[in-house]
Amino acid sequence: RSDDRTDHAAGARRKTREPLVIRLREVALSRGGRTLFADASLIVSPGERVALIGVNGSGKTTLLSALAGELSPDAGDIDQQWRAVVRLEQSLPSSTQPAWRYVVDSDPELAEARAELAAAEAGHDGLELAHAHDRWNELDGHGAEARCRALLAGLGFSDVEADRPVDALSGGWRMRLNLARALFCRSELLLLDEPTNHLDLEGIEWLEDQLRVWRGAMIVVAHDRAFLDTIATRVLEMSRGTLESYNGNYSAYILQRTERRAQQRAEYEAQQRHIEETEDYIRRYMAGQRSTQAKGRLKRLERLERVQRPQDAQQIHVDLQATLRSGDLVLGLYDLEVGYDSGRPLVRVDEAEARRGQRVALVGPNGSGKTTLLRTIMRRLRPLSGRVRVGSAVRIGYFSQVQDHLASGKSVLETLLDAGIESVAETRSFLARYGFRGDDVFKDVGVLSGGERARVAIAILSLAKANFLLLDEPTNHLDIPSQEVLQDVLLSFGGTILMVSHDRYLIREVATQVWAIADGTLH
């Protein structure tokens, strides 16, 4: 996808063997009056697959915008030698074109070659026509539709959906079209912001295969830790105004970060002991016979470059512990068919049981009926046939992936007061544990980001003191530090969990068993 170009600039680079790189030299970036980082220097080389991670709001998307040339840094400079840069769009596409045509037409090189071919044919210039045909063949213009349809099939589009107008597709499918466009266009640098959103497990694994063989460089913002384990060759962490580089994938980053933090803490504590001892010496001897030595130590202390206190990213604090012990059998599904009255069953279950203390991951393709099954368990939908048995002393807590119970027009503070906390002071203290501090508590729920809404929903869930958690995509929209906190909380939860998730890292670490929906049947 990053084939050598025949233009003069690319030819000159090959002759001089000048590497294609991105260089950040002492770059400062700010947003809304807040400095994201002040002195960042960085080199990204061809073939690198760089994961850009950090808490929500740390500036990852802003940095991608700067690398794409969409905004200029406040200070320093970005030396962008790559000519072909493609960035994954985050806005919903709109077009009356068929989906496949919309993707093909998004390739600027292909569009330019098509225009050149049409002009040459109209001008009847044999030499120009030959050059135009050569260019068209070089770009495999005749195979563009077939390549695009194969790409869309990998992202879950059927042939019928690939032929549908873009505007007739749902929001999730239109967002997948943005990913298809980014992958279809030839580029030397690919900038991807949350590419796994709206993909099921099969789609994510397909995307991993595509990116592993990508011959250009890429910088990826993602919260999917298993995805980053698979594709990243390097990790950049944005934290507290700094940009730190770690070699390897996400798991390698975790190990290196732990070692770095321990070393920084040891260096800081050693320097603090040295400073205390030096200051004590100066106080004791500044006015005595050793005043010369004391003054010398004071000067050295004033010139000493201080080691900064190591600070971990600010994390949320979650408490989901139950106050009531359930019976041994928490959930039983028997000869069950779930779906809607107007259609055939989405899911059939011969028999499935969840017992106290088990943590069950419910997996399956998008549209296979996972959320419908949860809604049936909660008695929000009647089963088409069969039986749902909820055990004795079971108190259910539900986390919805769409958070449709959070009403626009109410502030975060009002929402938590409605959920049962009695005083404003207690509510503000409680919300601070979930990352809402100061004026954040007065934000309208309707304008919150996906990650903020998820934190509000988790805060409300914790008030239920449930012993059986039904979780529908609980890590969607959460940044990696928040995912790590939630994962630890679920591991220590004393009750029972049934969670729908595409998060393989979470499933691997938390689940004690897996229920998989395939071909309409739960296994």
Side-chain angles (χ1 to χ4, degrees):
R1 293 178 175 81
S2 57
D3 299 330
D4 289 339
R5 306 296 191 262
T6 57
D7 64 291
H8 174 75
R13 283 197 294 262
R14 285 195 295 273
K15 289 177 184 177
T16 59
R17 296 189 177 181
E18 180 185 347
L20 293 165
V21 296
I22 284 180
R23 287 190 181 92
L24 275 67
R25 296 186 180 91
E26 300 175 350
V27 168
L29 271 177
S30 61
R31 184 183 64 185
R34 182 170 64 90
T35 299
L36 300 175
F37 46 84
D39 187 20
S41 295
L42 170 69
I43 294 177
V44 178
S45 301
E48 284 197 287
R49 300 193 296 269
V50 180
L52 182 60
I53 67 174
V55 298
N56 289 339
S58 60
K60 302 183 294 295
T61 298
T62 304
L63 179 56
L64 289 190
S65 298
L67 294 174
E70 297 168 3
L71 58 86
S72 300
D74 303 310
D77 62 270
I78 298 176
D79 183 7
Q80 168 60 277
Q81 297 182 19
W82 275 308
R83 187 172 64 88
V85 179
V86 172
R87 183 182 178 192
L88 174 62
E89 297 290 336
Q90 292 300 304
S91 58
L92 282 176
S94 178
S95 174
T96 56
Q97 289 181 302
W100 74 266
R101 170 57 69 185
Y102 175 76
V103 172
V104 169
D105 286 353
S106 68
D107 187 332
E109 282 195 297
L110 207 57
E112 182 182 352
R114 185 185 298 109
E116 289 175 357
L117 185 60
E121 289 173 343
H124 305 290
D125 185 315
L127 184 58
E128 286 188 4
L129 186 59
H131 284 310
H133 273 295
D134 287 344
R135 180 62 174 155
W136 183 251
N137 292 332
E138 178 189 347
L139 297 174
D140 189 22
H142 295 294
E145 180 179 348
R147 286 188 287 112
C148 178
R149 287 185 178 275
L151 188 65
L152 291 174
L155 290 170
F157 285 79
S158 66
D159 287 338
V160 172
E161 288 167 328
D163 286 324
R164 292 181 68 192
V166 173
D167 290 343
L169 298 172
S170 69
W173 288 104
R174 287 158 68 189
M175 290 302 291
R176 290 194 193 196
L177 275 187
N178 283 340
L179 180 56
R181 292 178 68 190
L183 296 174
F184 185 80
C185 295
R186 294 163 176 81
S187 66
E188 294 166 336
L189 174 64
L190 189 59
L191 302 175
L192 299 176
D193 196 351
E194 296 294 352
T196 60
N197 280 3
H198 310 289
L199 297 182
D200 54 23
L201 280 173
E202 185 177 351
I204 293 171
E205 290 171 350
W206 174 88
L207 178 61
E208 290 171 347
D209 291 339
Q210 299 295 306
L211 297 183
R212 275 199 299 253
V213 298
W214 189 274
R215 290 190 290 171
M218 70 183 70
I219 300 178
V220 182
V221 173
H223 294 155
D224 187 324
R225 294 168 291 174
F227 174 75
L228 296 180
D229 252 351
T230 300
I231 64 115
T233 60
R234 182 177 171 195
V235 174
L236 290 177
E237 180 185 40
M238 296 184 69
S239 176
R240 299 185 182 272
T242 64
L243 198 59
E244 290 193 58
S245 179
Y246 299 81
N247 292 325
N249 62 7
Y250 176 78
S251 293
Y253 149 76
I254 290 295
L255 293 174
Q256 293 173 62
R257 183 185 65 178
T258 301
E259 293 171 356
R260 275 191 204 180
R261 296 292 187 271
Q263 182 179 352
Q264 290 171 354
R265 192 168 287 107
E267 291 175 355
Y268 172 78
E269 292 172 353
Q271 188 181 71
Q272 290 301 302
R273 288 194 297 270
H274 168 71
I275 292 171
E276 290 175 5
E277 292 169 358
T278 303
E279 289 175 340
D280 181 61
Y281 184 93
I282 293 168
R283 283 193 298 269
R284 290 167 59 192
Y285 297 112
M286 181 61 82
Q289 293 180 345
R290 301 182 186 177
S291 62
T292 302
Q293 294 93 323
K295 290 176 182 177
R297 293 196 182 193
L298 178 60
K299 289 180 181 179
R300 289 194 293 274
L301 189 60
E302 290 171 345
R303 294 194 298 266
L304 180 65
E305 184 176 348
R306 303 298 174 103
V307 176
Q308 295 298 313
R309 180 195 297 271
Q311 293 181 312
D312 293 323
Q314 198 171 59
Q315 294 184 330
I316 63 173
H317 301 277
V318 180
D319 180 11
L320 293 177
Q321 290 306 315
T323 56
L324 178 67
R325 179 185 173 92
S326 71
D328 180 62
L329 178 65
V330 174
L331 175 69
L333 309 178
Y334 309 104
D335 298 321
L336 183 68
E337 291 186 340
V338 304
Y340 300 89
D341 293 338
S342 58
R344 63 180 184 178
L346 281 173
V347 185
R348 296 179 177 85
V349 186
D350 291 333
E351 181 177 326
E353 293 181 337
R355 299 191 174 273
R356 185 180 62 248
Q358 289 183 332
R359 299 186 295 269
V360 182
L362 177 59
V363 302
N366 287 342
S368 60
K370 303 183 295 296
T371 299
T372 303
L373 180 58
L374 292 191
R375 290 172 59 83
T376 304
I377 292 170
M378 295 178 63
R379 294 189 169 89
R380 295 186 180 182
L381 283 176
R382 293 176 60 86
L384 300 180
S385 64
R387 186 163 62 102
V388 175
R389 177 185 174 188
V390 176
S392 62
V394 170
R395 181 181 295 169
I396 295 177
Y398 178 53
F399 177 93
S400 168
Q401 64 170 310
V402 295
Q403 285 103 47
D404 49 7
H405 60 298
L406 301 181
S408 298
K410 288 188 176 181
S411 69
V412 176
L413 181 65
E414 291 169 331
T415 300
L416 266 294
L417 286 169
D418 289 347
I421 304 183
E422 294 182 358
S423 72
V424 170
E426 184 183 357
T427 304
R428 295 195 67 156
S429 175
F430 180 77
L431 281 170
R433 298 166 55 190
Y434 292 85
F436 295 95
R437 298 174 177 84
D439 290 341
D440 287 345
V441 302
F442 300 116
K443 284 184 178 179
D444 189 313
V445 169
V447 302
L448 296 181
S449 69
E452 289 171 326
R453 288 178 66 86
R455 284 189 276 122
V456 172
I458 293 172
I460 293 173
L461 178 64
S462 71
L463 296 174
K465 302 300 180 184
N467 54 24
F468 181 29
L469 300 181
L470 296 178
L471 309 177
D472 197 353
E473 298 288 0
T475 57
N476 266 13
H477 306 295
L478 291 181
D479 55 36
I480 288 179
S482 298
Q483 290 181 31
E484 292 172 343
V485 170
L486 181 61
Q487 176 178 300
D488 290 341
V489 169
L490 296 181
L491 279 170
S492 62
F493 181 65
T496 308
I497 299 171
L498 175 58
M499 62 179 184
V500 172
S501 183
H502 295 146
D503 186 337
R504 292 160 297 170
Y505 203 98
L506 180 74
I507 293 170
R508 184 173 67 236
E509 296 297 321
V510 171
T512 58
Q513 61 176 286
V514 174
W515 293 359
I517 298 174
D519 299 322
T521 302
L522 187 141
H523 303 275

